[in-house]
Amino acid sequence: MTANRPLSALLGAAALSLQLACGGSPDAAPEGTDPDGSGGLDVAVAANFTEVAHRLAEAFTSASGVEVRIAVGSTGGLTSQILSGAPYHLFLAADTLRPARLEAEGQAVPGSRFTYAVGRLAVLAPARTDAWELPGLLLEPGIRAAWADPRTAPYGAAAVEVLERWGLSHLEGAVATSVAQSWQFARSGAVDAAFVSLAQVAHDPPGEWREVPDSLHAPVRQQAVLLRAGEDHPPALAFLALLRSAPARDWIRAAGYGLEEFPDVD
C-alpha cells in the first residue's frame, strides 16, 4: 500500500498526538516508553480495516513505544464482546449503529464518535480470466458467491442490499462471519465470487475484481469511538488523534476508502 504522505509524516503525527494526550509537555511521552505504565493499548477493529489498522499501530508504536494490540472481527461480534466486558480502549467499527449503541448504553464516551472512513464494496472473482462484469457474473447458471453475515457485518448488509437491487436475493451463497472470511472464501476457491471491501482488493490486479457502485447501497460509514476503558488512557486519546490526522487520512484514502469532513457525529 502506498500513501500520499511518507511514513515520516505519520510517525510525526503519532508522536505529536501522544504528546498532546499526555498534557502537551515536550518530554511528557519520551520515545520508547509506555507513558502511563499501562502495558499498552487494546483496539477492537472491524475486519475490513485490518491492514490499515496494523500499519497505523506500527507507526504509533515506533513513535511512542506503546504496544498496540489489535483484535479483529465483525462489527457485531466485537460489539457483543464489548458489551460483555471485553477491556478494549478503542473500537474502530464498520458502521455508525454499533458505536452509537455503545454510547447509549454507557460503554463509550459521549461525543467521541467520528467517521474515520467510508467503505466501498467490491466483488472479487480471482479465478476468472474472461472480461466479466457486474451483475452479469452473478447471473450465470451455477454461480456461487459469498458475503459477510448481514446481521453482524455492515459490508454484508451492503452486499444483501445490492443483491436485492439486482433482483438476486435468491442467489446461492456462503455466509461468512466477516468480510475478511468472505475474501478468504474467494481466494481459496470455495466460491466463484465474493463481496468484499474495496480496500481488500484495491491494489490487486484489476481483472480480479469490480467495484460496486455506491448508489446501490447505503453508505458504509465507519465510526471510531472511545470506550470507557480508554477514557483516561493517554495512548487511547493519542491514537484517536492520530486517526484524525492528515497523514493518517492520506493513508486511509490510499487504501481504498472514502473520507468525510469533521465533525460528523450524529
Side-chain angles (χ1 to χ4, degrees):
M1 178 178 62
T2 59
N4 296 330
R5 296 186 185 222
L7 177 61
S8 59
L10 193 58
L11 290 170
L16 178 59
S17 63
L18 187 62
Q19 176 183 318
L20 294 174
C22 291
S25 171
D27 57 357
E31 185 173 343
T33 66
D34 183 354
D36 62 353
S38 63
L41 176 64
D42 292 290
V43 186
V45 178
N48 74 89
F49 202 67
T50 303
E51 181 180 355
V52 183
H54 278 292
R55 289 176 178 266
L56 291 172
E58 290 169 5
F60 187 81
T61 298
S62 294
S64 68
V66 177
E67 178 188 6
V68 181
R69 294 177 291 269
I70 292 177
V72 174
S74 68
T75 292
L78 291 169
T79 299
S80 296
Q81 291 180 28
I82 294 166
L83 290 171
S84 297
Y88 301 124
H89 298 107
L90 300 173
F91 184 24
L92 276 55
D95 67 2
T96 63
L97 296 178
R98 270 77 167 204
R101 177 188 174 189
L102 291 172
E103 185 178 276
E105 296 192 19
Q107 300 297 313
V109 178
S112 66
R113 290 185 294 122
F114 66 93
T115 298
Y116 64 91
V118 179
R120 296 170 178 165
L121 195 64
V123 171
L124 172 65
R128 296 294 291 248
T129 58
D130 57 325
W132 59 277
E133 297 298 336
L134 293 173
L137 172 68
L138 302 178
L139 292 166
E140 295 179 7
I143 201 77
R144 193 159 187 270
W147 52 87
D149 189 339
R151 297 170 299 176
T152 59
Y155 281 87
V160 169
E161 189 177 350
V162 170
L163 289 172
E164 290 174 350
R165 294 287 293 273
W166 281 338
L168 291 170
S169 299
H170 62 282
L171 183 68
E172 180 183 358
V175 178
T177 57
S178 69
V179 72
Q181 188 179 57
S182 182
W183 178 91
Q184 291 169 355
F185 284 166
R187 285 296 179 195
S188 68
V191 297
D192 304 298
F195 283 89
V196 298
S197 163
L198 176 63
Q200 292 172 291
V201 298
H203 303 291
D204 291 346
E208 296 185 352
W209 56 273
R210 301 287 184 274
E211 184 173 0
V212 176
D214 291 341
S215 60
L216 295 178
H217 61 86
V220 184
R221 297 174 62 231
Q222 304 193 192
Q223 284 196 337
V225 68
L226 179 66
L227 301 175
R228 284 298 183 187
E231 186 171 12
D232 298 315
H233 191 55
L237 301 175
F239 197 90
L240 280 185
L242 171 64
L243 195 60
R244 298 179 74 128
S245 71
R249 283 166 65 81
D250 280 349
W251 276 45
I252 292 168
R253 182 186 293 108
Y257 295 93
L259 295 172
E260 290 185 350
E261 296 300 320
F262 300 129
D264 60 2
V265 173
D266 50 27

